[in-house]
Amino acid sequence: MTQQERLAGDAAAVRARMVAKRDRIEGERQRNIDLVIKYVISEEDAKQRIAELKEERLRVDAEMAALEEAPVPVALHPAALDRYISTVNSLAETMADHSKAEDDCGSLIQDFRTLVHSVTVHPRGLGSASRSK
């Protein structure tokens, strides 16, 4: 199991525990209201407990809202990983051999284009390279 999968599982477990806690609190609050309606307990006896439960539920709701969404692990197909590794290895070999054979430049360019979608060049002063001088 990867670190990302473990973190996603941990976040989902925390959220599930909080949902269960909120549901228990709301259930108890509703039972107290039902007891008042059925005249089993007086409204005065239940009033404070119902208010406490409502406050506690609101606190749990706020904690849940503050939780970050569980990160979704990205899984790549093994064939995609194999192709990427193969392309990187081919590019490394081509670059190593490039000084020996100038006519192999087409292979170098093709391997590079397979790995890199686009390259953006910024004029001096707009990118971080100008700040590092």
Side-chain angles (χ1 to χ4, degrees), residues 10-22:
D10 291 349
V14 167
R15 183 171 292 283
R17 282 194 301 274
M18 294 186 85
V19 167
K21 182 177 182 178
R22 184 194 62 200

Side-chain angles (χ1 to χ4, degrees), residues 104-124:
D104 202 19
C105 192
S107 170
L108 176 67
I109 292 170
Q110 185 59 40
D111 287 344
F112 184 75
R113 285 186 176 159
T114 301
L115 295 172
V116 178
H117 178 267
S118 66
V119 175
T120 304
V121 178
H122 295 280
R124 282 190 189 267

Side-chain angles (χ1 to χ4, degrees), residues 3 5 20 25 33 59 67 95 100 118 126 131:
Q3 173 85 4
E5 290 170 331
I25 293 167
I33 291 170
R59 191 172 53 253
L67 284 178
M95 289 175 72
K100 298 175 189 171
S118 66
L126 295 180
R131 284 178 256 158

Side-chain angles (χ1 to χ4, degrees), residues 8-68:
D10 291 349
V14 167
R15 183 171 292 283
R17 282 194 301 274
M18 294 186 85
V19 167
K21 182 177 182 178
R22 184 194 62 200
D23 291 348
R24 280 192 306 275
I25 293 167
E26 184 56 29
E28 184 179 343
R29 189 178 79 83
Q30 190 59 51
R31 280 189 296 282
N32 277 275
I33 291 170
D34 291 344
L35 291 174
V36 170
I37 292 170
K38 295 176 183 176
Y39 300 107
V40 174
I41 59 174
S42 72
E43 186 176 342
E44 286 303 314
D45 291 340
K47 191 180 233 180
Q48 183 178 351
R49 182 63 183 148
I50 290 171
E52 289 170 357
L53 290 166
K54 183 176 181 181
E55 181 82 20
E56 190 174 351
R57 191 197 75 219
L58 291 173
R59 191 172 53 253
V60 170
D61 285 342
E63 288 176 23
M64 286 176 56
L67 284 178
E68 291 183 19

